Amino acid sequence: VLYKENVGTGTPTPVTPEMERVKRNQEICSSVLYKENIGKATPTPVTPEMERVKRNQEIISSVLYKENMGKVTPTPVTPEMERVKRNQEIISSVLYKENVGQATPTPVTPEMERVKRNQEQISSVAYREGLGKATPSPVTPEMERVKRNQEQISSVLYKEHMAKGTPTPLTPEMERAKRNQENISSVLYSDSFRKQVQGKAAYVLDTPEMRRVRESQKHISTVKYHEDFEKSKGSFTPVVTDPITERVKKNMQDFSDISYRGIQRRVVEMERKRVDQDQENLTG
């Protein structure tokens, strides 16, 4: 405060290109002098003890960080906050697109494709070389028990953190929109199916192995059919006999007798003879 009181009012000066140049030179000189003052150091190997100390320091730092964190008061997410958040995202997207300049597209040449594939292969080889040898450990019943307990604890904590939701009634308008969406999805699926699959056969090579399997399946089916036939041969299914069944059976027997003995044919001949005789009596 006293320092600020002793400071008088100054006259602001504009930042000229010369001042920018001097500032950059000063930064470069400071960087060069800093590097000159650094002497040569002796590298020390990273021992297991140093690794242990480093891990302990990280654990202690994490514990202290959590202890220094105070209690916060959660605030509910209101519709106004949601609206402001969406507006900020839209503004950020618009500003980002405005700041993006015009780029010159470069064609992907075969040489670039070759270099890209080589880089992927080199990365894969280097990754596998960096992997050390691991010792597989068997999954014991104790490990299975601990794993199940952890899953149950996670599920319980997840359900505890879930807030209560406000149920919304299912209105006729929502039902109509849902049915429309299903119809649109079905139409799009059918169009895609007709364009891609319908009318196109799946070609499969008829190899000797497939012919052999097909013949084997035929033989197996024939053997199975005969086996089932032999088992069911000689057996019958009992049916309850009622008056209606008896009447139908008798009628069928009568029809069979008429057809077999030719009674119907004789009746027709006798009727024709009677008609001829009546005609002769009328004319005579």
Side-chain angles (χ1 to χ4, degrees):
V1 175
L2 294 176
Y3 171 74
K4 292 183 179 179
E5 289 179 353
N6 294 330
V7 175
T9 59
T11 303
T13 58
V15 180
T16 61
E18 181 66 19
M19 294 175 67
E20 288 286 341
R21 185 182 63 81
V22 172
K23 185 178 178 181
R24 283 197 300 272
N25 291 339
Q26 287 293 330
E27 291 175 354
I28 294 171
C29 292
S30 299
S31 177
V32 172
L33 294 174
Y34 173 75
K35 292 180 179 179
E36 288 180 353
N37 293 330
I38 294 177
K40 294 182 179 180
T42 303
T44 57
V46 180
T47 60
E49 182 65 20
M50 293 174 67
E51 289 286 340
R52 185 183 63 80
V53 172
K54 183 179 178 182
R55 283 196 301 272
N56 291 340
Q57 288 294 331
E58 292 175 354
I59 296 170
I60 293 169
S61 299
S62 176
V63 172
L64 293 176
Y65 172 76
K66 293 181 179 179
E67 289 179 354
N68 293 330
M69 289 180 65
K71 295 182 179 179
V72 297
T73 305
T75 58
V77 180
T78 61
E80 182 66 19
M81 294 173 67
E82 288 286 341
R83 185 182 63 80
V84 173
K85 183 178 178 182
R86 285 196 300 272
N87 291 341
Q88 288 293 330
E89 292 175 354
I90 295 170
I91 293 169
S92 299
S93 176
V94 172
L95 293 176
Y96 173 76
K97 292 180 180 179
E98 288 179 353
N99 294 329
V100 174
Q102 295 181 352
T104 304
T106 57
V108 180
T109 61
E111 182 65 19
M112 293 174 68
E113 289 287 340
R114 185 183 63 79
V115 172
K116 184 178 178 181
R117 285 196 300 272
N118 291 340
Q119 287 294 332
E120 291 176 354
Q121 294 172 359
I122 292 170
S123 299
S124 177
V125 172
Y127 172 76
R128 293 180 181 178
E129 289 179 353
L131 287 171
K133 294 182 179 179
T135 303
S137 58
V139 179
T140 61
E142 182 65 19
M143 293 173 67
E144 289 287 340
R145 186 183 62 81
V146 172
K147 184 178 178 181
R148 285 195 300 273
N149 291 340
Q150 287 295 329
E151 291 176 354
Q152 294 172 359
I153 292 169
S154 299
S155 176
V156 171
L157 294 177
Y158 172 75
K159 293 180 180 179
E160 288 179 354
H161 294 331
M162 288 180 67
K164 294 182 179 179
T166 305
T168 58
L170 192 61
T171 60
E173 182 66 19
M174 293 173 67
E175 287 285 343
R176 185 183 64 78
K178 183 178 178 182
R179 284 197 300 273
N180 290 342
Q181 288 295 328
E182 292 175 354
N183 293 335
I184 293 169
S185 300
S186 177
V187 170
L188 293 176
Y189 173 77
S190 300
D191 290 342
S192 176
F193 175 77
R194 282 193 294 268
K195 290 179 182 178
Q196 297 180 7
V197 180
Q198 193 174 13
K200 296 181 181 179
Y203 297 98
V204 181
L205 295 177
D206 191 9
T207 59
E209 181 65 20
M210 293 183 67
R211 286 196 293 271
R212 185 184 64 80
V213 172
R214 190 163 58 244
E215 291 295 330
S216 300
Q217 288 294 331
K218 288 181 181 178
H219 295 325
I220 293 171
S221 300
T222 305
V223 171
K224 182 68 176 175
Y225 173 76
H226 284 290
E227 182 181 353
D228 295 339
F229 176 76
E230 292 295 332
K231 288 181 179 179
S232 61
K233 187 170 63 175
S235 61
F236 62 93
T237 303
V239 180
V240 178
T241 303
D242 55 353
I244 297 176
T245 306
E246 288 289 339
R247 182 175 61 81
V248 172
K249 183 178 179 182
K250 186 175 183 302
N251 291 338
M252 293 301 295
Q253 187 67 32
D254 293 340
F255 288 136
S256 298
D257 290 343
I258 290 171
S259 299
Y260 176 72
R261 296 175 183 176
I263 297 174
Q264 184 70 22
R265 187 171 57 253
R266 289 199 298 272
V267 170
V268 172
E269 291 177 356
M270 291 173 65
E271 184 68 21
R272 188 171 60 251
K273 289 180 180 179
R274 186 180 64 78
V275 172
D276 293 338
Q277 187 175 2
D278 291 340
Q279 289 293 334
E280 290 178 357
N281 293 330
L282 292 174
T283 56

